[in-house]
Amino acid sequence: MQRPSHHPSSPLTHTPKHCRHRVVKPQTTRSSSSQQLLLLLIFLTCCISLSSASPTILYIDDELVEAQIEARTAASEPLGSTFARLARSGTILVDQSPPPEPNSHEHDLDLDRGAGDLKKRADTESSSSSSSSILSASTRRSSSSSTLAPTSTSSGIVAAETTSVQPLPTPFDTGFNNNVTSNCASFMSSMLSNSTFKQCLPFSLLLQNSNSFFQASKSLVRITQTLDYSCAADVTICTSVLNSFASNITTSSACASDLSSENPLVQQALLGLKAYKPLYTASCLRNPSTSAYCFADAITNASNPTDSYIYFLPLNTSLVGGSQPTCDACLQNTMAVFEAASADRTQALANTYVSAASQINVNCGPQFVNASLAEAVNSAAVSNLHSHPAGSMGFVALLAVLITWVL
């Protein structure tokens, strides 16, 4: 009799159970194999990366070492070997054509000269002589230059600079026209060639009748040089000389007929001769703020060209209507000079000063300048006053001689 089985008797129930164990085992094996393959791939990737990077490092090291070796070799090699090595490496290109043959004429000259050291000595001597000549030339050029004192305009332009001396302006440098008589032209030429006249360089004659002065007035440096020269003249001697020319120009042997026919050139010459002293004094005034010449400030002041108009008052030219000169110390001092000069009623300032002063006071204030002429001085009386002492001394001397002769 068989024992009853705890398991189902049917074989179908046992077989599936056994089959389930067999299915699970292959899945576990495949997953572990996949993991191993993945790790293997990662490992191979790292190996490949390391193997590919190491040659670059070694190459860089080798290149650096090779460069250092080449540098030390180049330093120890002579110059010719260095060029040869660079030519072999292709760094530089070498002209392979044969060298040119020397010129037969130059070759003969080389043979005539002798040794190479003699040629070098000759070259050294010639170079030293040429340098010494250049030095002497530069010394001559520097000796012909002048350094101006530091001056500046009202706009702040500094005039202190070293510049070569330019020819000084001269009056009547454009010549005389055909309307001047021969006697007058001869007198004017004689006056202009007078050595004392040249040393005086009268500003009063340059202002209206000099093209070179007009060109010089465009440069602060050149106009300052001109004023330096004219203001250095002896005003007493120059006033006497120019007054003498002013008297002589009116004679019949000089320019009397030209003055009677109102020749403008000769009239301006007479006015300039008579106005020498007041214009000398006015042109030599300096700006108390900048130490520059007041006229140099005025003539170079592009922002207000009317500043220079007042300098034409002694030449019988009225101040242009609407002019507004800069109200500064230069204007006050210049008008004070002209006021004092108006005491001589023969001066043209006696006709032009009052209207100009009134116009200036309208612009600068009622008391800016004195708007009236100075007290008149009789020129004849002054002349007699100067002549009386000489006459008295002559009379006394004559009386002393007579007394001595009698005794």
Side-chain angles (χ1 to χ4, degrees):
M1 186 176 176
Q2 294 182 347
R3 295 180 180 179
S5 176
H6 295 286
H7 300 284
S9 58
S10 176
L12 296 174
T13 57
H14 181 72
T15 303
K17 187 175 182 179
H18 182 72
C19 291
R20 281 198 303 270
H21 288 290
R22 290 180 180 178
V23 171
V24 171
K25 286 181 181 179
Q27 291 177 355
T28 304
T29 304
R30 283 196 299 271
S31 61
S32 62
S33 300
S34 301
Q35 293 177 356
Q36 291 177 358
L37 289 174
L38 182 60
L39 292 175
L40 180 61
L41 290 175
I42 294 173
F43 176 75
L44 292 176
T45 303
C46 293
C47 291
I48 292 171
S49 300
L50 292 175
S51 62
S52 61
S54 58
T56 305
I57 297 173
L58 293 175
Y59 173 76
I60 294 173
D61 292 339
D62 292 342
E63 185 176 341
L64 291 175
V65 171
E66 184 179 357
Q68 293 176 358
I69 293 173
E70 288 180 355
R72 285 195 294 268
T73 304
S76 60
E77 285 181 351
L79 187 61
S81 301
T82 303
F83 287 151
R85 179 176 55 80
L86 293 175
R88 288 194 301 270
S89 63
T91 305
I92 62 174
L93 298 177
V94 180
D95 187 5
Q96 301 295 333
S97 60
E101 296 182 0
N103 192 344
S104 59
H105 178 67
E106 294 179 355
H107 182 65
D108 294 339
L109 290 177
D110 291 338
L111 292 177
D112 293 337
R113 289 193 188 103
D117 55 349
L118 294 179
K119 289 191 294 183
K120 291 181 180 179
R121 183 174 300 174
D123 293 340
T124 304
E125 291 175 357
S126 62
S127 62
S128 62
S129 62
S130 62
S131 62
S132 63
S133 63
I134 294 172
L135 179 61
S136 61
S138 62
T139 305
R140 289 193 298 270
R141 286 194 298 269
S142 62
S143 64
S144 64
S145 63
S146 64
T147 304
L148 299 178
T151 58
S152 60
T153 64
S154 57
S155 59
I157 302 175
V158 178
E161 60 180 275
T162 301
T163 180
S164 58
V165 176
Q166 300 290 335
L168 290 171
T170 55
F172 302 103
D173 52 1
T174 57
F176 308 106
N177 54 33
N178 296 327
N179 294 329
V180 178
T181 61
S182 59
N183 289 341
C184 186
S186 177
F187 173 83
M188 295 289 288
S189 299
S190 177
M191 179 184 69
L192 295 175
S193 62
N194 182 276
S195 58
T196 306
F197 180 89
K198 290 181 178 179
Q199 292 176 359
C200 294
L201 190 64
F203 175 83
S204 56
L205 290 174
L206 293 173
L207 199 57
Q208 275 188 323
N209 302 285
S210 175
N211 181 61
S212 54
F213 181 80
F214 173 74
Q215 299 300 329
S217 64
K218 298 178 182 179
S219 167
L220 180 62
V221 175
R222 292 194 60 194
I223 194 62
T224 302
Q225 286 178 339
T226 304
L227 294 174
D228 282 340
Y229 189 93
S230 63
C231 292
D234 189 328
V235 63
T236 304
I237 296 176
C238 291
T239 301
S240 176
V241 170
L242 268 69
N243 285 341
S244 176
F245 281 125
S247 300
N248 294 334
I249 199 174
T250 60
T251 61
S252 58
S253 61
C255 303
S257 60
D258 299 88
L259 290 171
S260 61
S261 62
E262 297 183 351
N263 187 302
L265 187 66
V266 181
Q267 285 181 329
Q268 290 173 4
L270 177 60
L271 288 170
L273 290 171
K274 296 174 66 174
Y276 169 75
K277 188 172 182 179
L279 277 176
Y280 168 89
T281 307
S283 64
C284 297
L285 292 175
R286 289 184 178 268
N287 191 324
S289 301
T290 62
S291 297
Y293 288 106
C294 288
F295 178 78
D297 276 350
I299 200 67
T300 57
N301 187 7
S303 61
N304 192 1
T306 62
D307 282 356
S308 62
Y309 290 178
I310 60 170
Y311 292 92
F312 292 86
L313 296 178
L315 301 176
N316 203 30
T317 302
S318 301
L319 188 63
V320 178
S323 301
Q324 295 181 347
T326 304
C327 304
D328 56 6
C330 280
L331 180 60
Q332 280 185 319
N333 296 336
T334 303
M335 291 299 290
V337 171
F338 293 162
E339 179 198 356
S342 67
D344 183 1
R345 295 295 192 258
T346 62
Q347 290 280 347
L349 283 166
N351 302 324
T352 59
Y353 176 79
V354 174
S355 60
S358 302
Q359 185 174 337
I360 289 172
N361 285 340
V362 170
N363 181 39
C364 301
Q367 302 299 326
F368 188 77
V369 296
N370 190 358
S372 60
L373 297 177
E375 185 178 356
V377 175
N378 191 338
S379 336
V382 173
S383 176
N384 292 334
L385 181 63
H386 287 291
S387 63
H388 282 323
S392 300
M393 290 177 63
F395 177 78
V396 172
L398 179 60
L399 182 61
V401 170
L402 291 175
I403 293 172
T404 304
W405 181 72
V406 170
L407 294 177

